[in-house]
Amino acid sequence: MSEQQGAPEQLAAGKSQGGAGATYKVVVFEFENFCGKKVELSAECKNVIEKGCEKVGSIIVESGPWVAFERQAFGGEQFVLEKGEYPRWSTWTNSQTNNYLLSLRPLKVDSADHKLHLFENPGFAGRKMEIVDDDVPSLWVHGFQDRVASIKATNGAWVGYMFPGYRGRQYIIENGDYKHWNDWGASTPQIQSVRRVRDMQWHKRGCFIVRIILFSVPTSYNSRNNIWLMVLVYISFFRMVVG
């Protein structure tokens, strides 16, 4: 894509304090299955190595939600962490490109309600889709294809995914205006599924519910023969949440 702009202001650490009255606690472990050295956090951490944890192999979120980052100072790939246990990398991401998780911060959720506007072009231009208090496993089903170049988040916190069925890279969308995909940390304007981030402050039974989703995905948007594949997507990452 030819459209580019500067560093994303929306991902600044100033958004790390969380909602009013919210409490946060996360425990990171050096190895899988909650083994090895552990570090407890109740506020943002720009570098877990400085806390004495050379790497992160498993995580327990006691209260949240949180967002973790591939690099120090909240940079690189993003990972949403809602309340629950994450015994290995595959439980918090299915797009792992390395084994780095070096910084974390609380994720701000401003209300129990969720409202989001997606736009096809930068600067809130082009086709528009409104999502209110719902999760959307496939934007294709709603005729929005896969290009999302700007976003207005008016309520709640959201996470967008590169592929249908909440798969691929994750992009955190907190309350605010995102005029360009660089603002949410993406290098291309590709989002194909979106869901709400749940905060235990309002949603006592928690987070992301496991669902089996059946939907259609075109093999080629411009294909003349209009072949459609029926894809059964199993949402593999889930959280056992105690209300």
Side-chain angles (χ1 to χ4, degrees):
M1 296 293 174
S2 60
E3 298 149 315
Q4 293 291 331
Q5 66 178 37
E9 296 179 359
Q10 297 289 355
L11 299 180
K15 303 191 76 173
S16 65
Q17 299 306 311
T23 60
Y24 295 89
K25 185 178 179 181
V26 63
V27 185
V28 299
F29 296 82
E30 185 179 10
F31 302 121
E32 290 187 356
N33 298 314
F34 319 115
C35 296
K37 184 177 178 60
K38 72 175 184 179
V39 174
E40 296 185 3
L41 301 171
S42 57
E44 67 177 35
C45 175
K46 294 183 178 181
N47 187 355
V48 296
I49 296 176
E50 293 179 351
K51 300 290 185 179
C53 194
E54 292 296 323
K55 63 179 181 179
V56 176
S58 52
I59 300 170
I60 296 177
V61 178
E62 297 189 6
S63 57
W66 291 72
V67 54
F69 295 84
E70 174 189 9
R71 298 198 295 268
Q72 301 172 7
F74 319 116
E77 191 167 357
Q78 308 164 34
F79 312 104
V80 175
L81 300 168
E82 291 159 297
K83 184 178 180 181
E85 297 184 349
Y86 303 78
R88 61 192 59 84
W89 269 82
S90 60
T91 55
W92 66 76
T93 179
N94 52 32
S95 69
Q96 182 181 354
T97 56
N98 57 55
N99 60 351
Y100 291 106
L101 192 162
L102 296 179
S103 55
L104 303 92
R105 67 171 175 85
L107 177 56
K108 180 180 179 181
V109 178
D110 65 330
S111 76
D113 302 320
H114 290 76
K115 187 174 182 179
L116 189 72
H117 292 100
L118 307 178
F119 297 85
E120 184 179 22
N121 298 322
F124 317 117
R127 297 178 61 216
K128 173 183 174 182
M129 178 177 177
E130 181 181 82
I131 305 172
V132 180
D133 291 330
D134 199 8
D135 302 326
V136 181
S138 174
L139 297 182
W140 282 93
V141 172
H142 296 270
F144 205 76
Q145 303 164 40
D146 64 352
R147 181 183 170 87
V148 177
S150 54
I151 296 174
K152 284 181 176 284
T154 56
N155 291 102
W158 301 75
V159 52
Y161 296 81
M162 285 191 70
F163 304 117
Y166 315 116
R167 296 177 298 114
R169 278 183 173 265
Q170 305 172 31
Y171 302 112
I172 310 306
I173 309 296
E174 295 170 274
N175 191 302
D177 293 343
Y178 301 75
K179 295 182 179 180
H180 191 277
W181 59 83
N182 289 164
D183 291 344
W184 59 81
S187 58
T188 61
Q190 180 177 332
I191 289 180
Q192 295 190 39
S193 52
V194 176
R195 71 173 180 89
R196 296 162 290 176
V197 176
R198 303 304 187 94
D199 187 337
M200 294 300 293
Q201 180 180 354
W202 291 290
H203 306 96
K204 297 302 181 185
R205 291 199 62 81
C207 312
F208 189 34
I209 300 171
V210 182
R211 291 185 291 183
I212 295 178
I213 301 162
L214 186 65
F215 59 92
S216 299
V217 179
T219 57
S220 174
Y221 181 68
N222 294 317
S223 175
R224 292 183 179 181
N225 56 14
N226 195 30
I227 298 175
W228 290 75
L229 297 177
M230 297 304 294
V231 180
L232 183 64
V233 176
Y234 175 69
I235 309 307
S236 61
F237 66 101
F238 60 92
R239 312 291 175 256
M240 297 299 294
V241 179
V242 179

